[in-house]
Amino acid sequence: EHSPQQKSAMFYLASALMKEGKLDDAREAYHRALEGRALDWQIHVNLSLIAQQQGNTSVALQELNRALELQPKSSIVANNLGVLYKNSGDLDRASDYFRQSIKYNPYLLEPRLNLASVYVQEKRYIDALDLYHENLLIDPKDEESLLERLKALLLDGQREVVMPEVENILKASYSSALYLRLAVLMSENGLNKLALGSFQRALERDPDKAEIYIEMGKFFGNMDQLDDAISIWEEALRLDRDNQDVKDLILKARAFKNESREARSAGSNRMP
């Protein structure tokens, strides 16, 4: 209000609007923040992200190319170009940009994660595992690299490697989000004991997070332990009273229990 031509203030206003999801207002503010100098590359990156969120891939690519002209060796720009091409299905070009990003900044974790995801998609699991290993050498506590590495090991059939590694993770201290995602991963792969241990660690870290109870209920429901599932979902409702999805899960579980009881009763009354 006092200095409407202040470009830096306009940039931060645009960033705040973007975080609030007011994308049209944010785009307009970013354009007003442009100064016609090299630092504008950050604005073009954000304008590209807005265009992607609004489904306008061609504008997103134009903005990233403008950013690249201003900052030709930016690891962030190269990584974002890789993501754009990956999402459009051009894995070769995406991989090239991810490699460039790693070259420009070897300590940035995200381009390795993105390149590894391409390798996983191409079933090049060993190459992906090498990248996750590099990330964990840089940051041994990086949860995304840790979890994605376990996924790649399971896809590669290395269950014997996964099991002791998960045991070590359960003994360590990570976020509830990591333990929850780990629990779901173990459940999907039939490692039920490790899944249960992961759910328990997630609850220890964050006992008031309804999402943990929801997924844990699904875990017991899939094992036909419906009473346990219902009890856990009721705990989720205590934390999130208006969650209709949980209410529906409880109703379906109770209906399934009644159907099973009626089927068993009908079977016991049949003539031998």
Side-chain angles (χ1 to χ4, degrees), residues 68-119:
L68 192 64
E69 290 174 7
L70 297 170
Q71 199 77 7
K73 292 190 175 181
S74 166
S75 59
I76 294 173
V77 175
N79 180 68
N80 285 18
L81 278 164
V83 171
L84 194 63
Y85 282 112
K86 179 176 180 286
N87 291 340
S88 66
D90 191 342
L91 299 185
D92 290 337
R93 189 172 292 186
S95 297
D96 287 342
Y97 277 113
F98 292 141
R99 292 188 193 98
Q100 285 182 32
S101 180
I102 295 167
K103 179 182 177 182
Y104 297 150
N105 185 353
Y107 297 101
L108 194 63
L109 303 183
E110 189 175 352
R112 282 195 189 82
L113 284 168
N114 289 329
L115 181 57
S117 72
V118 172
Y119 289 156

Side-chain angles (χ1 to χ4, degrees), residues 193-207:
K193 183 178 178 181
L194 293 174
L196 184 57
S198 301
F199 278 123
Q200 290 170 340
R201 288 292 284 127
L203 287 174
E204 288 172 11
R205 299 293 291 172
D206 194 350

Side-chain angles (χ1 to χ4, degrees), residues 18-169:
M18 187 176 174
K19 286 180 180 178
E20 290 185 353
K22 299 175 181 177
L23 300 184
D24 290 333
D25 292 337
R27 183 177 62 248
E28 181 183 347
Y30 275 130
H31 279 294
R32 291 171 62 189
L34 289 168
E35 297 186 66
R37 59 193 184 111
L39 285 175
D40 284 349
W41 74 272
Q42 299 173 71
I43 295 175
H44 289 298
V45 167
N46 290 341
L47 285 169
S48 172
L49 293 173
I50 290 173
Q52 288 181 64
Q53 290 183 55
Q54 295 183 324
N56 198 333
T57 303
S58 61
V59 171
L61 182 58
Q62 289 173 11
E63 294 293 349
L64 282 178
N65 282 328
R66 288 176 186 144
L68 192 64
E69 290 174 7
L70 297 170
Q71 199 77 7
K73 292 190 175 181
S74 166
S75 59
I76 294 173
V77 175
N79 180 68
N80 285 18
L81 278 164
V83 171
L84 194 63
Y85 282 112
K86 179 176 180 286
N87 291 340
S88 66
D90 191 342
L91 299 185
D92 290 337
R93 189 172 292 186
S95 297
D96 287 342
Y97 277 113
F98 292 141
R99 292 188 193 98
Q100 285 182 32
S101 180
I102 295 167
K103 179 182 177 182
Y104 297 150
N105 185 353
Y107 297 101
L108 194 63
L109 303 183
E110 189 175 352
R112 282 195 189 82
L113 284 168
N114 289 329
L115 181 57
S117 72
V118 172
Y119 289 156
V120 168
Q121 197 169 333
E122 296 174 338
K123 298 184 179 181
R124 295 169 56 183
Y125 301 123
I126 300 302
D127 292 330
L129 288 167
D130 287 342
L131 290 170
Y132 296 134
H133 178 68
E134 289 176 18
N135 268 7
L136 290 168
L137 287 176
I138 296 168
D139 182 0
K141 299 287 283 186
D142 181 59
E143 296 184 353
E144 195 67 25
S145 298
L146 194 67
L147 190 70
E148 293 301 321
R149 181 175 180 277
L150 292 173
K151 288 182 183 178
L153 285 168
L154 287 166
L155 287 169
D156 197 39
Q158 299 190 48
R159 289 167 71 95
E160 73 286 351
V161 177
V162 168
M163 295 172 69
E165 290 200 9
V166 174
E167 293 283 3
N168 288 333
I169 293 171

